[in-house]
Amino acid sequence: MNFSQAAITVEPPLTPKYCVIWLHGLGDSGQGFAPILPEFKLGQSHHIRFVFPTAPTIPVTLNAGYIMPAWYDIKSPDLHERADMSGVLASEQLIHQLIAEQIEQGIPSSRIILAGFSQGGVMSLFTGLRYPQSLAGILAMSCYLPSASSLPSELSAANKTTSIMQMHGTQDDVVPISAGEDAHRLLIEAGYNSQWQAYPMAHSVCLEQIQAISQWIQANCRA
């Protein structure tokens, strides 16, 4: 079974017209976030397909070389040196593959949202900023920019006005909220359409946040 075939796909009650590709965090899997869907309370009249892929399993340096699902290796606790960029670029191509499959099934990129938590958030933000076609939205939760103190290279103008939602926990001890705030500042300074929401939580998601995500997804799936 290849990468995309292993993804969990949840079809909508009605004919799919939109798609949310949801990327999990380090050591998790597509099954980790799939159970969140009922909490979105989308009802029985929506057209949104959800795809929950699982990252390849690789040794993670920071975790003593243990092999686990990861979008890239983490080589250092220092955010400025944390992400293995070769792995980030390899996973970007996997995400491009997922988007291409949705396009082949009749959902244009402009109706596709990239969402992710922690490592998955890093990948949704990095990939979305560089993707050459417009997307419906980019959701980046509890994450940072892999390029640390600067925006990624080879940015695409296609998503300069795309709705970006950044969310973070004020008590996050895995990815400091300052890292998310730095990413948000860089986006705003560069003229991106990014919103910022913080919640009194650790490296996790909370019910209030889930409700806000549902509203944001629905608002961006009405085009």
Side-chain angles (χ1 to χ4, degrees), residues 18 109-113 134-138 159 162-163 216 220-221:
Y18 309 91
S109 66
S110 60
R111 293 189 173 191
I112 296 174
I113 288 176
S134 62
L135 297 165
I138 301 167
N159 288 295
T162 295
S163 176
W216 179 82
N220 286 285
C221 291

Side-chain angles (χ1 to χ4, degrees), residues 4-191:
S4 60
Q5 289 176 329
I8 294 172
T9 299
V10 182
E11 297 290 354
L14 304 179
T15 303
K17 295 182 180 179
Y18 309 91
C19 180
V20 177
I21 298 173
W22 194 293
L23 309 172
H24 63 76
L26 177 67
D28 201 355
S29 70
Q31 295 178 332
F33 269 105
I36 205 174
L37 283 185
E39 301 302 322
F40 287 159
K41 303 186 186 307
L42 297 174
Q44 294 300 308
S45 60
H46 74 88
H47 298 262
I48 310 168
R49 172 187 288 152
F50 285 82
V51 176
F52 299 90
T54 296
T57 52
I58 61 171
V60 177
T61 302
L62 194 63
N63 288 349
Y66 286 125
I67 297 175
M68 62 184 66
W71 298 108
Y72 52 87
D73 187 19
I74 297 178
K75 297 187 174 182
S76 166
D78 184 344
L79 280 174
H80 292 274
E81 300 176 0
R82 177 175 289 196
D84 168 33
M85 289 307 297
S86 63
V88 170
L89 292 170
S91 285
E92 180 184 37
Q93 292 307 306
L94 293 177
I95 298 165
H96 281 193
Q97 176 185 331
L98 292 171
I99 296 172
E101 289 175 358
Q102 294 304 313
I103 293 173
E104 289 172 3
Q105 294 177 50
I107 299 179
S109 66
S110 60
R111 293 189 173 191
I112 296 174
I113 288 176
L114 287 185
F117 173 80
S118 195
Q119 258 204 355
V122 172
M123 290 308 311
S124 68
L125 193 54
F126 180 84
T127 304
L129 293 176
R130 289 161 44 95
Y131 193 69
Q133 301 176 56
S134 62
L135 297 165
I138 301 167
L139 174 60
M141 296 169 282
S142 304
C143 66
Y144 54 95
L145 282 170
S147 45
S149 59
S150 62
L151 291 174
S153 61
E154 299 179 22
L155 293 170
S156 168
N159 288 295
K160 193 65 181 285
T161 60
T162 295
S163 176
I164 300 173
M165 174 62 79
Q166 294 176 264
M167 296 174 155
H168 219 107
T170 57
Q171 300 155 26
D172 195 327
D173 60 353
V174 176
V175 178
I177 189 170
S178 60
E181 290 171 334
D182 287 346
H184 181 64
R185 176 182 52 79
L186 288 169
L187 288 169
I188 292 300
E189 289 176 352

Side-chain angles (χ1 to χ4, degrees), residues 39-41 199 201 205-213:
E39 301 302 322
F40 287 159
K41 303 186 186 307
Y199 298 86
M201 62 182 184
V205 295
C206 64
L207 182 57
E208 181 184 358
Q209 178 188 14
I210 290 170
Q211 293 169 344
I213 291 170

